[in-house]
Amino acid sequence: MTKAASLSIRILKRFTARHHEFRLDVDFSVESGITVLFGPSGSGKTTILECIAGLLTPDAGRISVNGEVLFDSHSRVNLPANIRNLGYVFQTLALFPHLTVEENVGYGLARLTGNERNQRISAILESFHIAHLGQQRPDRISGGERQRVALARSLVTNPRALLLDEPLSALDYETKSKLIADLRTWTQDHRIAVIYVTHALDEVFALGDRVIALKDGRIAEKGTPAEILGKERENLIRELQQVGSR
Amino acid sequence: MNWQAIGLTAKLATLVSLILLIVGLPLAYWVAYSRWRLKFLVEAVVALPLVLPPTVLGFYVLVAIGSQSPVGRLYESWSGHSFAFSFQGLLLASVLYSLPFAVQPFAAAFSQIDRNLLNASATLGASRLHTFKRIIFPLSLSGIVTGIVLSFAHTVGEFGVVLMVGGNIPGVTRTISIDIYDRVQDLDYATANETALLLLIFSFVVLSGVYATNRQLWRGWLGR
């Protein structure tokens, strides 16, 4: 079992496209367990993940994991993505199409020797129930299996935190539930901080220990799923009452 | 048939393809992924040989490597012979002339790769070089093969640049296309026809090979 993890995030980033300016301005921290970033499309969820992972550079702010600074605009620290050691599961999964499941999962273990590498790959394939798919290419397996491969690939390197960008959005309810259970087991065993981005309410309830609701690039609410959804419901009822009274 | 010219042309085209593989891959990588605002200027320079008359390109290369130029003088003092009208001079001119035929297919293949695959590779700890070797290169193989084969075939068929920079020295700079021209000038149509037919068949086989290879590669990865 590894030490409990924490991520501290302060990001300011501006985008300008066709006379429209989008400004992301967030400041929050997460502990081990699953934190759900919840919000509509365009609220800045993926941008936050990309900034944390080092795929985008914030205009200003500070990002640290377990006390180690990954980005700090003040002291001009900006570690490249490949040395941040953060797991990332993309919405499109981004499995390498020319590599087998085993090669995909072992991609991040290039520095290990053959034996140790194979052991790590076998163990994680077992944990995610995909050991029988080792020699298959991603295009030969189902959507749910691809999701498992992507999760296994991002976790096999023992990342310091896991960033998930709507990885389950395309799955049916049953497959989604099983995967969520596996993800929960893994994160409890390894005690890593997980940030899970979604705009689906069922995933907020099923996954989140904590929820951060985003709106237009800012944090609108923080709390447990019940608290956040309670407020969401209140807002909805208020809006409906306003419509009704017109 | 002038086997000496055929041998020389094959040697020139092979060396051009090899050099373009080494020089063209990093250049194409930069063209595909750089976010520099003035990148279009470099792209235009790379594409120039596509639209420039070969005599114009040949003329400027000749001026640049002639014995009056600093490059030409430096080369002459180092090697003891002239850069212009030598095989090495012809090689340089041919590399420049075929540059877009290699770089453009390479860059097009690199650009088609899903950006998230490169991001995924980075988040898994891979350096840019590792990502290039394990992801970009294999996924762009059809474009790379196309670029190499096209630059080989293009070099085999070049005429104006060879005449300007290489002259017509048997065994040194007389390539197949120059040989055909010489035969026609001598009214030796039979030999000219033999060599021309050889070039025609070669070009057809090469292009068929490129299209067939690309199909197989795509089928291998996407269909299988």
Side-chain angles (χ1 to χ4, degrees):
Chain A
M1 194 175 278
T2 50
K3 219 175 106 186
S6 70
L7 265 169
S8 168
I9 295 137
R10 183 156 48 83
I11 296 170
L12 179 70
K13 183 146 184 83
R14 279 199 198 109
F15 296 94
T16 312
R18 292 183 186 172
H19 313 297
H20 174 75
E21 191 188 86
F22 174 74
R23 185 184 155 99
L24 178 71
D25 188 354
V26 290
D27 187 352
F28 63 97
S29 58
V30 300
E31 302 296 322
S32 56
I34 301 175
T35 301
V36 174
L37 271 186
F38 171 69
S41 297
S43 57
K45 307 184 297 290
T46 300
T47 305
I48 292 173
L49 290 197
E50 288 180 343
C51 287
I52 298 171
L55 303 173
L56 266 183
T57 306
D59 297 331
R62 190 174 190 276
I63 299 165
S64 66
V65 58
N66 304 341
E68 190 200 339
V69 178
L70 305 179
F71 173 82
D72 188 349
S73 55
H74 188 65
S75 56
R76 297 188 176 209
V77 174
N78 187 13
L79 299 188
N82 65 321
I83 60 169
R84 292 195 179 194
N85 192 21
L86 302 172
Y88 197 124
V89 178
F90 295 81
Q91 192 171 10
T92 58
L93 303 181
L95 295 177
F96 306 127
H98 59 303
L99 302 182
T100 63
V101 165
E102 235 174 62
E103 288 166 339
N104 262 285
V105 172
Y107 187 85
L109 302 175
R111 289 179 196 89
L112 296 185
T113 58
N115 226 358
E116 196 185 345
R117 193 162 174 265
N118 291 340
Q119 280 174 0
R120 289 266 287 272
I121 296 170
S122 302
I124 200 141
L125 291 180
E126 286 288 339
S127 301
F128 282 89
H129 315 294
I130 45 174
H132 60 292
L133 303 172
Q135 297 310 312
Q136 300 283 354
R137 292 260 169 90
D139 61 329
R140 308 299 291 172
I141 61 179
S142 72
E145 289 165 341
R146 277 201 286 273
Q147 240 92 9
R148 288 177 182 277
V149 175
L151 268 176
R153 184 179 70 172
S154 64
L155 287 170
V156 75
T157 54
N158 288 332
R160 297 186 287 187
L162 179 63
L163 310 170
L164 302 159
D165 188 3
E166 306 201 34
L168 309 180
S169 55
L171 294 183
D172 60 80
Y173 181 75
E174 199 185 333
T175 317
K176 200 186 267 191
S177 310
K178 283 180 187 164
L179 250 171
I180 286 173
D182 285 345
L183 184 61
R184 272 212 166 282
T185 310
W186 180 276
T187 49
Q188 274 160 12
D189 288 351
H190 291 75
R191 301 195 69 195
I192 64 171
V194 178
I195 300 183
Y196 187 102
V197 157
T198 187
H199 65 269
L201 279 175
D202 61 327
E203 290 172 23
V204 174
F205 263 120
L207 267 168
D209 301 320
R210 292 170 298 276
V211 183
I212 296 173
L214 284 172
K215 197 174 177 188
D216 300 329
R218 287 172 182 275
I219 294 175
E221 304 285 351
K222 281 185 200 175
T224 63
E227 286 167 358
I228 295 292
L229 293 174
K231 284 177 186 165
E232 282 278 315
R233 208 180 61 173
E234 281 169 20
N235 290 340
L236 186 65
I237 291 168
R238 203 175 302 130
E239 277 173 28
L240 286 172
Q241 282 170 340
Q242 280 169 359
V243 171
S245 62
R246 270 177 211 162
Chain B
M1 213 178 302
N2 187 344
W3 290 105
Q4 191 186 46
I6 293 172
L8 182 85
T9 308
K11 180 178 150 193
L12 179 69
T14 307
L15 285 172
V16 166
S17 305
L18 274 176
I19 292 170
L20 283 176
L21 185 66
I22 296 162
V23 176
L25 285 179
L27 184 56
Y29 182 93
W30 185 85
V31 167
Y33 299 122
S34 169
R35 287 177 187 167
W36 189 42
R37 270 177 35 202
L38 302 178
K39 186 173 84 170
F40 66 92
L41 294 175
V42 179
E43 287 179 282
V45 169
V46 170
L48 264 182
L50 289 175
V51 292
L52 215 55
T55 42
V56 174
L57 180 76
F59 171 71
Y60 283 115
V61 173
L62 190 62
V63 170
I65 67 173
S67 49
Q68 302 298 313
S69 75
V71 176
R73 279 202 298 271
L74 189 73
Y75 183 85
E76 220 167 307
S77 66
W78 170 69
S79 70
H81 57 82
S82 151
F83 201 179
F85 306 111
S86 70
F87 180 77
Q88 287 76 8
L90 180 58
L91 185 62
L92 174 72
S94 302
V95 165
L96 292 175
Y97 189 45
S98 289
L99 195 65
F101 289 84
V103 172
Q104 290 194 344
F106 294 172
F110 295 169
S111 306
Q112 276 170 15
I113 296 175
D114 178 3
R115 192 80 195 195
N116 273 342
L117 294 182
L118 312 185
N119 287 339
S121 177
T123 60
L124 290 165
S127 64
R128 283 185 188 179
L129 185 63
H130 188 81
T131 302
F132 183 81
K133 283 193 292 189
R134 292 290 312 276
I135 308 300
I136 299 175
F137 189 87
L139 288 179
S140 313
L141 205 53
S142 63
I144 292 169
V145 170
T146 302
I148 289 303
V149 174
L150 284 182
S151 34
F152 186 94
H154 188 240
T155 307
V156 167
E158 74 184 33
F159 179 78
V161 171
V162 183
L163 208 58
M164 292 295 285
V165 179
N168 186 0
I169 307 166
V172 181
T173 60
R174 182 184 287 176
T175 58
I176 305 179
S177 51
I178 304 283
D179 186 62
I180 295 171
Y181 180 73
D182 276 356
R183 301 288 174 182
V184 172
Q185 293 292 301
D186 296 342
L187 300 177
D188 181 3
Y189 278 53
T191 317
N193 182 41
E194 275 178 20
T195 320
L197 196 62
L198 181 81
L199 264 187
L200 182 69
I201 294 169
F202 167 79
S203 304
F204 176 73
V205 168
V206 161
L207 289 176
S208 308
V210 166
Y211 286 119
T213 313
N214 279 350
R215 244 191 200 176
Q216 273 176 3
L217 282 172
W218 285 117
R219 198 177 296 150
W221 281 333
L222 300 178
R224 204 182 283 223

